[in-house]
Amino acid sequence: MISIIICSRTQTIKSDLSENIKNTIGCDYELIVIDNSENQYSIFEAYNEGIKKSTGEYLCLIHDDIFIHTNGWGNVILRIFGENRQIGLIGIAGAKIKTKMPSAWWDCPDDQKVIHIIQHFRNGEIKKQNFGFKNDSIQEVVAIDGIFMAMQKDKKIHFSTEINGYHSYDLNISFEYNKNGYKIMVTNEILIEHFSIGIINDAWVASTYKIHNFYKGILPLSIKKNKVNRNLEQTNAIRFIEECLKYKQDKKAITIWRALFLMHPISKYHYTFWKRIVKNKLC
């Protein structure tokens, strides 16, 4: 059986979603809705609460603003897990590499991403994305997106109790399954439509910094021949530093700058960085 866990921004989920799940899953399931209408839980706490309440062998954590287009998607999950017990986590979007420098899972070259989704954007655009699969319906990755996460239940694995808020939970659980020796997969046999898109803000900067510091011992991550190169580490370091400076989180920016300087001591960016730091202090 699959335990479906949803952290709901309202007291209960919309009937359209519950009916969508009922009509498409195709196997036995239980639906666990964590009422977070008053923001009493972080996303980490809400999902841990859902896991405690679950009785299924497998878990499926989904957003409350999606529509599932695939009939029998629950049987797809059961089949994938059944065919290979080393698989611990399944998603519908992810990356084959993850830098040591703080970043989102998608901060990597397009040829390292695996995605199958219908995504709505803020400008009204709706785009179906399906790439990275080559001739297979499933690809191994090192991190997945949190829109849809199917998990093989393991008592050793849970969401962090040290990180708050609503960001980086997908990196958290991806790193946990990596750390415990499981494989992580993305499949294109399940099609999800997602009606919103995440935002980068000061809370994202804080949680991303913390999660990367917490897992620095296992980063960077890559599958087999897909190596994380120095240029990507530098790119992600600069990108994250710029976000830190944007939200006036200068201490975090300086910490990451030090790591960047050790990687690449000769760069015009170092002058630009300290100019920005001074400007932040004067504002």
mmCIF file of all heavy atoms in Angstrom, residues 97-142:
data_model
loop_
_atom_site.group_PDB
_atom_site.id
_atom_site.type_symbol
_atom_site.label_atom_id
_atom_site.label_comp_id
_atom_site.label_asym_id
_atom_site.label_seq_id
_atom_site.Cartn_x
_atom_site.Cartn_y
_atom_site.Cartn_z
ATOM 1 N N ILE A 97 23.829 15.418 -11.038
ATOM 2 C CA ILE A 97 24.967 15.925 -10.282
ATOM 3 C C ILE A 97 24.477 16.978 -9.289
ATOM 4 O O ILE A 97 23.447 17.602 -9.495
ATOM 5 C CB ILE A 97 26.066 16.534 -11.184
ATOM 6 C CG1 ILE A 97 25.506 17.682 -12.026
ATOM 7 C CG2 ILE A 97 26.688 15.472 -12.072
ATOM 8 C CD1 ILE A 97 26.552 18.401 -12.856
ATOM 9 N N LYS A 98 25.249 17.152 -8.217
ATOM 10 C CA LYS A 98 24.947 18.191 -7.239
ATOM 11 C C LYS A 98 26.258 18.743 -6.689
ATOM 12 O O LYS A 98 27.092 17.999 -6.194
ATOM 13 C CB LYS A 98 24.097 17.616 -6.093
ATOM 14 C CG LYS A 98 23.758 18.654 -5.030
ATOM 15 C CD LYS A 98 22.844 19.717 -5.590
ATOM 16 C CE LYS A 98 22.793 20.947 -4.695
ATOM 17 N NZ LYS A 98 24.036 21.751 -4.740
ATOM 18 N N THR A 99 26.433 20.043 -6.822
ATOM 19 C CA THR A 99 27.677 20.676 -6.390
ATOM 20 C C THR A 99 27.789 20.733 -4.873
ATOM 21 O O THR A 99 26.807 20.655 -4.143
ATOM 22 C CB THR A 99 27.779 22.119 -6.926
ATOM 23 O OG1 THR A 99 26.644 22.863 -6.460
ATOM 24 C CG2 THR A 99 27.844 22.144 -8.439
ATOM 25 N N LYS A 100 29.030 20.900 -4.431
ATOM 26 C CA LYS A 100 29.287 21.143 -3.011
ATOM 27 C C LYS A 100 28.832 22.549 -2.632
ATOM 28 O O LYS A 100 28.356 22.775 -1.521
ATOM 29 C CB LYS A 100 30.782 20.979 -2.725
ATOM 30 C CG LYS A 100 31.143 20.897 -1.251
ATOM 31 C CD LYS A 100 32.631 20.649 -1.060
ATOM 32 C CE LYS A 100 32.971 20.392 0.398
ATOM 33 N NZ LYS A 100 32.511 19.071 0.868
ATOM 34 N N MET A 101 28.968 23.480 -3.567
ATOM 35 C CA MET A 101 28.532 24.847 -3.312
ATOM 36 C C MET A 101 27.001 24.902 -3.205
ATOM 37 O O MET A 101 26.305 24.205 -3.953
ATOM 38 C CB MET A 101 29.001 25.781 -4.432
ATOM 39 C CG MET A 101 30.500 25.992 -4.493
ATOM 40 S SD MET A 101 31.165 26.858 -3.032
ATOM 41 C CE MET A 101 31.929 25.496 -2.145
ATOM 42 N N PRO A 102 26.469 25.728 -2.305
ATOM 43 C CA PRO A 102 25.016 25.813 -2.138
ATOM 44 C C PRO A 102 24.311 26.190 -3.441
ATOM 45 O O PRO A 102 24.730 27.116 -4.138
ATOM 46 C CB PRO A 102 24.853 26.922 -1.089
ATOM 47 C CG PRO A 102 26.136 26.921 -0.329
ATOM 48 C CD PRO A 102 27.189 26.584 -1.346
ATOM 49 N N SER A 103 23.241 25.482 -3.732
ATOM 50 C CA SER A 103 22.499 25.713 -4.971
ATOM 51 C C SER A 103 21.223 24.896 -4.935
ATOM 52 O O SER A 103 21.054 23.999 -4.113
ATOM 53 C CB SER A 103 23.338 25.304 -6.191
ATOM 54 O OG SER A 103 23.659 23.919 -6.117
ATOM 55 N N ALA A 104 20.315 25.199 -5.858
ATOM 56 C CA ALA A 104 19.133 24.374 -6.048
ATOM 57 C C ALA A 104 19.514 23.140 -6.858
ATOM 58 O O ALA A 104 20.570 23.108 -7.503
ATOM 59 C CB ALA A 104 18.056 25.177 -6.784
ATOM 60 N N TRP A 105 18.655 22.134 -6.852
ATOM 61 C CA TRP A 105 18.988 20.914 -7.589
ATOM 62 C C TRP A 105 19.124 21.190 -9.087
ATOM 63 O O TRP A 105 19.879 20.521 -9.784
ATOM 64 C CB TRP A 105 17.943 19.817 -7.334
ATOM 65 C CG TRP A 105 16.584 20.059 -7.933
ATOM 66 C CD1 TRP A 105 15.488 20.536 -7.304
ATOM 67 C CD2 TRP A 105 16.176 19.829 -9.300
ATOM 68 N NE1 TRP A 105 14.421 20.636 -8.173
ATOM 69 C CE2 TRP A 105 14.819 20.200 -9.403
ATOM 70 C CE3 TRP A 105 16.828 19.343 -10.442
ATOM 71 C CZ2 TRP A 105 14.101 20.114 -10.599
ATOM 72 C CZ3 TRP A 105 16.120 19.254 -11.636
ATOM 73 C CH2 TRP A 105 14.775 19.632 -11.705
ATOM 74 N N TRP A 106 18.380 22.189 -9.591
ATOM 75 C CA TRP A 106 18.373 22.459 -11.038
ATOM 76 C C TRP A 106 19.537 23.339 -11.491
ATOM 77 O O TRP A 106 19.660 23.638 -12.678
ATOM 78 C CB TRP A 106 17.052 23.098 -11.445
ATOM 79 C CG TRP A 106 16.756 24.394 -10.748
ATOM 80 C CD1 TRP A 106 17.241 25.632 -11.065
ATOM 81 C CD2 TRP A 106 15.927 24.593 -9.604
ATOM 82 N NE1 TRP A 106 16.769 26.594 -10.202
ATOM 83 C CE2 TRP A 106 15.949 25.973 -9.285
ATOM 84 C CE3 TRP A 106 15.152 23.731 -8.816
ATOM 85 C CZ2 TRP A 106 15.242 26.499 -8.211
ATOM 86 C CZ3 TRP A 106 14.441 24.265 -7.753
ATOM 87 C CH2 TRP A 106 14.493 25.633 -7.461
ATOM 88 N N ASP A 107 20.394 23.759 -10.582
ATOM 89 C CA ASP A 107 21.542 24.586 -10.957
ATOM 90 C C ASP A 107 22.672 23.717 -11.499
ATOM 91 O O ASP A 107 23.694 23.468 -10.850
ATOM 92 C CB ASP A 107 22.027 25.401 -9.744
ATOM 93 C CG ASP A 107 21.091 26.544 -9.413
ATOM 94 O OD1 ASP A 107 20.504 27.107 -10.358
ATOM 95 O OD2 ASP A 107 20.946 26.880 -8.224
ATOM 96 N N CYS A 108 22.440 23.234 -12.712
ATOM 97 C CA CYS A 108 23.409 22.390 -13.403
ATOM 98 C C CYS A 108 23.102 22.446 -14.894
ATOM 99 O O CYS A 108 22.033 22.924 -15.290
ATOM 100 C CB CYS A 108 23.353 20.949 -12.884
ATOM 101 S SG CYS A 108 21.778 20.109 -13.169
ATOM 102 N N PRO A 109 24.018 21.989 -15.747
ATOM 103 C CA PRO A 109 23.751 22.009 -17.195
ATOM 104 C C PRO A 109 22.507 21.198 -17.558
ATOM 105 O O PRO A 109 22.156 20.232 -16.864
ATOM 106 C CB PRO A 109 25.016 21.375 -17.788
ATOM 107 C CG PRO A 109 26.075 21.598 -16.762
ATOM 108 C CD PRO A 109 25.386 21.515 -15.435
ATOM 109 N N ASP A 110 21.849 21.591 -18.636
ATOM 110 C CA ASP A 110 20.621 20.912 -19.053
ATOM 111 C C ASP A 110 20.826 19.427 -19.315
ATOM 112 O O ASP A 110 19.911 18.626 -19.083
ATOM 113 C CB ASP A 110 20.046 21.581 -20.312
ATOM 114 C CG ASP A 110 19.383 22.915 -20.008
ATOM 115 O OD1 ASP A 110 19.128 23.195 -18.817
ATOM 116 O OD2 ASP A 110 19.132 23.687 -20.960
ATOM 117 N N ASP A 111 22.017 19.057 -19.778
ATOM 118 C CA ASP A 111 22.243 17.638 -20.072
ATOM 119 C C ASP A 111 22.404 16.794 -18.806
ATOM 120 O O ASP A 111 22.545 15.565 -18.891
ATOM 121 C CB ASP A 111 23.441 17.446 -21.009
ATOM 122 C CG ASP A 111 24.758 17.898 -20.406
ATOM 123 O OD1 ASP A 111 24.767 18.400 -19.254
ATOM 124 O OD2 ASP A 111 25.801 17.756 -21.072
ATOM 125 N N GLN A 112 22.372 17.432 -17.646
ATOM 126 C CA GLN A 112 22.428 16.711 -16.369
ATOM 127 C C GLN A 112 21.063 16.685 -15.667
ATOM 128 O O GLN A 112 20.950 16.164 -14.567
ATOM 129 C CB GLN A 112 23.463 17.355 -15.441
ATOM 130 C CG GLN A 112 24.876 17.370 -15.990
ATOM 131 C CD GLN A 112 25.430 15.974 -16.235
ATOM 132 O OE1 GLN A 112 25.148 15.049 -15.488
ATOM 133 N NE2 GLN A 112 26.193 15.819 -17.303
ATOM 134 N N LYS A 113 20.045 17.250 -16.322
ATOM 135 C CA LYS A 113 18.701 17.276 -15.742
ATOM 136 C C LYS A 113 17.827 16.206 -16.384
ATOM 137 O O LYS A 113 17.977 15.898 -17.566
ATOM 138 C CB LYS A 113 18.050 18.645 -15.952
ATOM 139 C CG LYS A 113 18.794 19.795 -15.301
ATOM 140 C CD LYS A 113 18.172 21.128 -15.709
ATOM 141 C CE LYS A 113 19.027 22.294 -15.255
ATOM 142 N NZ LYS A 113 18.540 23.583 -15.755
ATOM 143 N N VAL A 114 16.913 15.673 -15.584
ATOM 144 C CA VAL A 114 15.926 14.704 -16.067
ATOM 145 C C VAL A 114 14.562 15.188 -15.579
ATOM 146 O O VAL A 114 14.328 15.275 -14.376
ATOM 147 C CB VAL A 114 16.217 13.291 -15.533
ATOM 148 C CG1 VAL A 114 15.284 12.288 -16.191
ATOM 149 C CG2 VAL A 114 17.669 12.896 -15.755
ATOM 150 N N ILE A 115 13.661 15.502 -16.516
ATOM 151 C CA ILE A 115 12.403 16.147 -16.134
ATOM 152 C C ILE A 115 11.239 15.631 -16.992
ATOM 153 O O ILE A 115 11.370 15.488 -18.203
ATOM 154 C CB ILE A 115 12.498 17.684 -16.289
ATOM 155 C CG1 ILE A 115 13.612 18.244 -15.394
ATOM 156 C CG2 ILE A 115 11.163 18.348 -15.947
ATOM 157 C CD1 ILE A 115 13.853 19.730 -15.564
ATOM 158 N N HIS A 116 10.111 15.369 -16.331
ATOM 159 C CA HIS A 116 8.867 15.037 -17.047
ATOM 160 C C HIS A 116 7.711 15.661 -16.271
ATOM 161 O O HIS A 116 7.284 15.140 -15.234
ATOM 162 C CB HIS A 116 8.695 13.521 -17.143
ATOM 163 C CG HIS A 116 7.515 13.103 -17.967
ATOM 164 N ND1 HIS A 116 6.504 12.307 -17.485
ATOM 165 C CD2 HIS A 116 7.182 13.386 -19.249
ATOM 166 C CE1 HIS A 116 5.603 12.112 -18.431
ATOM 167 N NE2 HIS A 116 5.993 12.750 -19.512
ATOM 168 N N ILE A 117 7.213 16.784 -16.751
ATOM 169 C CA ILE A 117 6.214 17.548 -16.005
ATOM 170 C C ILE A 117 5.508 18.540 -16.925
ATOM 171 O O ILE A 117 6.058 18.951 -17.951
ATOM 172 C CB ILE A 117 6.891 18.307 -14.833
ATOM 173 C CG1 ILE A 117 5.864 18.896 -13.860
ATOM 174 C CG2 ILE A 117 7.830 19.395 -15.346
ATOM 175 C CD1 ILE A 117 6.471 19.492 -12.600
ATOM 176 N N ILE A 118 4.291 18.919 -16.557
ATOM 177 C CA ILE A 118 3.617 20.068 -17.162
ATOM 178 C C ILE A 118 3.683 21.190 -16.120
ATOM 179 O O ILE A 118 3.076 21.077 -15.051
ATOM 180 C CB ILE A 118 2.154 19.762 -17.522
ATOM 181 C CG1 ILE A 118 2.075 18.611 -18.532
ATOM 182 C CG2 ILE A 118 1.470 21.008 -18.086
ATOM 183 C CD1 ILE A 118 0.663 18.111 -18.790
ATOM 184 N N GLN A 119 4.432 22.233 -16.421
ATOM 185 C CA GLN A 119 4.693 23.292 -15.450
ATOM 186 C C GLN A 119 4.017 24.592 -15.851
ATOM 187 O O GLN A 119 4.132 25.038 -16.991
ATOM 188 C CB GLN A 119 6.201 23.521 -15.308
ATOM 189 C CG GLN A 119 6.596 24.614 -14.333
ATOM 190 C CD GLN A 119 6.161 24.291 -12.911
ATOM 191 O OE1 GLN A 119 6.532 23.271 -12.356
ATOM 192 N NE2 GLN A 119 5.360 25.175 -12.322
ATOM 193 N N HIS A 120 3.315 25.204 -14.889
ATOM 194 C CA HIS A 120 2.734 26.531 -15.075
ATOM 195 C C HIS A 120 3.716 27.575 -14.558
ATOM 196 O O HIS A 120 4.291 27.418 -13.472
ATOM 197 C CB HIS A 120 1.416 26.657 -14.309
ATOM 198 C CG HIS A 120 0.301 25.839 -14.874
ATOM 199 N ND1 HIS A 120 -0.917 26.388 -15.235
ATOM 200 C CD2 HIS A 120 0.202 24.509 -15.151
ATOM 201 C CE1 HIS A 120 -1.713 25.438 -15.691
ATOM 202 N NE2 HIS A 120 -1.050 24.285 -15.647
ATOM 203 N N PHE A 121 3.906 28.651 -15.315
ATOM 204 C CA PHE A 121 4.827 29.718 -14.944
ATOM 205 C C PHE A 121 4.054 30.987 -14.592
ATOM 206 O O PHE A 121 2.889 31.144 -14.939
ATOM 207 C CB PHE A 121 5.816 29.980 -16.082
ATOM 208 C CG PHE A 121 6.728 28.818 -16.352
ATOM 209 C CD1 PHE A 121 6.366 27.822 -17.252
ATOM 210 C CD2 PHE A 121 7.937 28.711 -15.690
ATOM 211 C CE1 PHE A 121 7.206 26.737 -17.491
ATOM 212 C CE2 PHE A 121 8.785 27.636 -15.925
ATOM 213 C CZ PHE A 121 8.412 26.644 -16.820
ATOM 214 N N ARG A 122 4.733 31.916 -13.925
ATOM 215 C CA ARG A 122 4.076 33.131 -13.438
ATOM 216 C C ARG A 122 3.562 34.017 -14.568
ATOM 217 O O ARG A 122 2.617 34.773 -14.392
ATOM 218 C CB ARG A 122 5.037 33.928 -12.547
ATOM 219 C CG ARG A 122 5.323 33.257 -11.223
ATOM 220 C CD ARG A 122 6.091 34.158 -10.265
ATOM 221 N NE ARG A 122 6.555 33.379 -9.128
ATOM 222 C CZ ARG A 122 7.711 32.757 -9.069
ATOM 223 N NH1 ARG A 122 8.544 32.826 -10.079
ATOM 224 N NH2 ARG A 122 8.050 32.068 -8.002
ATOM 225 N N ASN A 123 4.204 33.940 -15.717
ATOM 226 C CA ASN A 123 3.781 34.780 -16.842
ATOM 227 C C ASN A 123 2.596 34.185 -17.609
ATOM 228 O O ASN A 123 2.195 34.704 -18.648
ATOM 229 C CB ASN A 123 4.956 35.014 -17.793
ATOM 230 C CG ASN A 123 5.484 33.722 -18.414
ATOM 231 O OD1 ASN A 123 4.936 32.634 -18.180
ATOM 232 N ND2 ASN A 123 6.546 33.820 -19.196
ATOM 233 N N GLY A 124 2.056 33.079 -17.093
ATOM 234 C CA GLY A 124 0.908 32.443 -17.738
ATOM 235 C C GLY A 124 1.279 31.323 -18.691
ATOM 236 O O GLY A 124 0.408 30.593 -19.169
ATOM 237 N N GLU A 125 2.563 31.174 -18.964
ATOM 238 C CA GLU A 125 3.006 30.112 -19.874
ATOM 239 C C GLU A 125 2.833 28.742 -19.227
ATOM 240 O O GLU A 125 3.045 28.577 -18.024
ATOM 241 C CB GLU A 125 4.477 30.327 -20.229
ATOM 242 C CG GLU A 125 5.024 29.313 -21.218
ATOM 243 C CD GLU A 125 6.500 29.520 -21.509
ATOM 244 O OE1 GLU A 125 7.143 30.341 -20.824
ATOM 245 O OE2 GLU A 125 7.008 28.848 -22.426
ATOM 246 N N ILE A 126 2.433 27.786 -20.016
ATOM 247 C CA ILE A 126 2.323 26.388 -19.574
ATOM 248 C C ILE A 126 3.200 25.561 -20.507
ATOM 249 O O ILE A 126 3.031 25.591 -21.727
ATOM 250 C CB ILE A 126 0.864 25.880 -19.638
ATOM 251 C CG1 ILE A 126 -0.053 26.774 -18.792
ATOM 252 C CG2 ILE A 126 0.784 24.429 -19.165
ATOM 253 C CD1 ILE A 126 -1.532 26.448 -18.952
ATOM 254 N N LYS A 127 4.142 24.848 -19.916
ATOM 255 C CA LYS A 127 5.116 24.135 -20.741
ATOM 256 C C LYS A 127 5.232 22.673 -20.297
ATOM 257 O O LYS A 127 5.393 22.390 -19.115
ATOM 258 C CB LYS A 127 6.484 24.800 -20.626
ATOM 259 C CG LYS A 127 7.547 24.207 -21.535
ATOM 260 C CD LYS A 127 8.911 24.862 -21.325
ATOM 261 C CE LYS A 127 8.903 26.315 -21.733
ATOM 262 N NZ LYS A 127 10.267 26.924 -21.633
ATOM 263 N N LYS A 128 5.123 21.766 -21.268
ATOM 264 C CA LYS A 128 5.393 20.359 -20.980
ATOM 265 C C LYS A 128 6.872 20.100 -21.210
ATOM 266 O O LYS A 128 7.399 20.349 -22.296
ATOM 267 C CB LYS A 128 4.554 19.432 -21.867
ATOM 268 C CG LYS A 128 4.799 17.953 -21.538
ATOM 269 C CD LYS A 128 3.911 17.018 -22.352
ATOM 270 C CE LYS A 128 4.179 15.566 -21.975
ATOM 271 N NZ LYS A 128 3.338 14.614 -22.752
ATOM 272 N N GLN A 129 7.532 19.627 -20.181
ATOM 273 C CA GLN A 129 8.960 19.344 -20.246
ATOM 274 C C GLN A 129 9.177 17.839 -20.167
ATOM 275 O O GLN A 129 8.656 17.171 -19.273
ATOM 276 C CB GLN A 129 9.689 20.044 -19.097
ATOM 277 C CG GLN A 129 9.537 21.561 -19.123
ATOM 278 C CD GLN A 129 10.074 22.213 -17.869
ATOM 279 O OE1 GLN A 129 9.718 21.835 -16.762
ATOM 280 N NE2 GLN A 129 10.929 23.203 -18.041
ATOM 281 N N ASN A 130 9.918 17.306 -21.105
ATOM 282 C CA ASN A 130 10.205 15.869 -21.125
ATOM 283 C C ASN A 130 11.567 15.662 -21.763
ATOM 284 O O ASN A 130 11.690 15.608 -22.980
ATOM 285 C CB ASN A 130 9.121 15.112 -21.900
ATOM 286 C CG ASN A 130 9.352 13.604 -21.884
ATOM 287 O OD1 ASN A 130 9.944 13.067 -20.952
ATOM 288 N ND2 ASN A 130 8.889 12.918 -22.924
ATOM 289 N N PHE A 131 12.602 15.617 -20.933
ATOM 290 C CA PHE A 131 13.947 15.416 -21.482
ATOM 291 C C PHE A 131 14.853 14.729 -20.473
ATOM 292 O O PHE A 131 14.574 14.692 -19.275
ATOM 293 C CB PHE A 131 14.559 16.740 -21.937
ATOM 294 C CG PHE A 131 14.620 17.819 -20.889
ATOM 295 C CD1 PHE A 131 15.680 17.915 -20.012
ATOM 296 C CD2 PHE A 131 13.603 18.761 -20.804
ATOM 297 C CE1 PHE A 131 15.740 18.915 -19.067
ATOM 298 C CE2 PHE A 131 13.652 19.772 -19.856
ATOM 299 C CZ PHE A 131 14.727 19.849 -18.986
ATOM 300 N N GLY A 132 15.921 14.149 -20.996
ATOM 301 C CA GLY A 132 16.917 13.486 -20.168
ATOM 302 C C GLY A 132 16.766 11.985 -20.086
ATOM 303 O O GLY A 132 17.549 11.311 -19.408
ATOM 304 N N PHE A 133 15.770 11.421 -20.786
ATOM 305 C CA PHE A 133 15.497 9.993 -20.643
ATOM 306 C C PHE A 133 16.148 9.113 -21.698
ATOM 307 O O PHE A 133 16.267 7.915 -21.513
ATOM 308 C CB PHE A 133 13.976 9.753 -20.635
ATOM 309 C CG PHE A 133 13.307 10.309 -19.421
ATOM 310 C CD1 PHE A 133 12.735 11.569 -19.446
ATOM 311 C CD2 PHE A 133 13.270 9.584 -18.247
ATOM 312 C CE1 PHE A 133 12.124 12.097 -18.320
ATOM 313 C CE2 PHE A 133 12.663 10.102 -17.113
ATOM 314 C CZ PHE A 133 12.087 11.361 -17.152
ATOM 315 N N LYS A 134 16.550 9.695 -22.814
ATOM 316 C CA LYS A 134 17.160 8.914 -23.901
ATOM 317 C C LYS A 134 16.201 7.795 -24.314
ATOM 318 O O LYS A 134 15.088 8.042 -24.712
ATOM 319 C CB LYS A 134 18.524 8.393 -23.479
ATOM 320 C CG LYS A 134 19.505 9.512 -23.129
ATOM 321 C CD LYS A 134 20.847 8.983 -22.699
ATOM 322 C CE LYS A 134 21.795 10.129 -22.344
ATOM 323 N NZ LYS A 134 23.114 9.670 -21.891
ATOM 324 N N ASN A 135 16.629 6.526 -24.195
ATOM 325 C CA ASN A 135 15.775 5.423 -24.620
ATOM 326 C C ASN A 135 15.108 4.705 -23.447
ATOM 327 O O ASN A 135 14.442 3.689 -23.638
ATOM 328 C CB ASN A 135 16.595 4.401 -25.427
ATOM 329 C CG ASN A 135 17.149 5.003 -26.706
ATOM 330 O OD1 ASN A 135 16.472 5.781 -27.369
ATOM 331 N ND2 ASN A 135 18.381 4.661 -27.051
ATOM 332 N N ASP A 136 15.287 5.234 -22.238
ATOM 333 C CA ASP A 136 14.733 4.592 -21.050
ATOM 334 C C ASP A 136 13.639 5.452 -20.422
ATOM 335 O O ASP A 136 13.644 6.678 -20.551
ATOM 336 C CB ASP A 136 15.835 4.344 -20.009
ATOM 337 C CG ASP A 136 16.926 3.420 -20.530
ATOM 338 O OD1 ASP A 136 16.573 2.407 -21.164
ATOM 339 O OD2 ASP A 136 18.119 3.716 -20.306
ATOM 340 N N SER A 137 12.723 4.788 -19.717
ATOM 341 C CA SER A 137 11.656 5.513 -19.031
ATOM 342 C C SER A 137 12.054 5.905 -17.614
ATOM 343 O O SER A 137 11.277 6.543 -16.903
ATOM 344 C CB SER A 137 10.386 4.654 -18.980
ATOM 345 O OG SER A 137 10.625 3.472 -18.229
ATOM 346 N N ILE A 138 13.258 5.539 -17.215
ATOM 347 C CA ILE A 138 13.721 5.833 -15.871
ATOM 348 C C ILE A 138 15.210 6.152 -15.913
ATOM 349 O O ILE A 138 15.962 5.542 -16.691
ATOM 350 C CB ILE A 138 13.440 4.642 -14.922
ATOM 351 C CG1 ILE A 138 13.665 5.038 -13.467
ATOM 352 C CG2 ILE A 138 14.236 3.410 -15.292
ATOM 353 C CD1 ILE A 138 13.114 4.025 -12.477
ATOM 354 N N GLN A 139 15.622 7.146 -15.138
ATOM 355 C CA GLN A 139 17.019 7.562 -15.105
ATOM 356 C C GLN A 139 17.457 7.780 -13.659
ATOM 357 O O GLN A 139 16.710 8.315 -12.842
ATOM 358 C CB GLN A 139 17.216 8.866 -15.879
ATOM 359 C CG GLN A 139 17.129 8.725 -17.391
ATOM 360 C CD GLN A 139 18.342 8.018 -17.970
ATOM 361 O OE1 GLN A 139 19.480 8.328 -17.638
ATOM 362 N NE2 GLN A 139 18.084 7.061 -18.852
ATOM 363 N N GLU A 140 18.696 7.387 -13.383
ATOM 364 C CA GLU A 140 19.224 7.593 -12.039
ATOM 365 C C GLU A 140 19.692 9.037 -11.875
ATOM 366 O O GLU A 140 20.296 9.626 -12.774
ATOM 367 C CB GLU A 140 20.389 6.648 -11.764
ATOM 368 C CG GLU A 140 20.892 6.736 -10.331
ATOM 369 C CD GLU A 140 21.983 5.717 -9.999
ATOM 370 O OE1 GLU A 140 22.318 4.895 -10.889
ATOM 371 O OE2 GLU A 140 22.493 5.770 -8.867
ATOM 372 N N VAL A 141 19.400 9.618 -10.717
ATOM 373 C CA VAL A 141 19.804 10.979 -10.379
ATOM 374 C C VAL A 141 20.348 10.984 -8.956
ATOM 375 O O VAL A 141 20.351 9.956 -8.275
ATOM 376 C CB VAL A 141 18.612 11.962 -10.504
ATOM 377 C CG1 VAL A 141 18.113 12.040 -11.937
ATOM 378 C CG2 VAL A 141 17.487 11.570 -9.551
ATOM 379 N N VAL A 142 20.806 12.149 -8.498
ATOM 380 C CA VAL A 142 21.273 12.259 -7.111
ATOM 381 C C VAL A 142 20.354 13.129 -6.257
ATOM 382 O O VAL A 142 20.461 13.135 -5.028
ATOM 383 C CB VAL A 142 22.720 12.798 -7.036
ATOM 384 C CG1 VAL A 142 23.686 11.830 -7.714
ATOM 385 C CG2 VAL A 142 22.837 14.199 -7.627
#
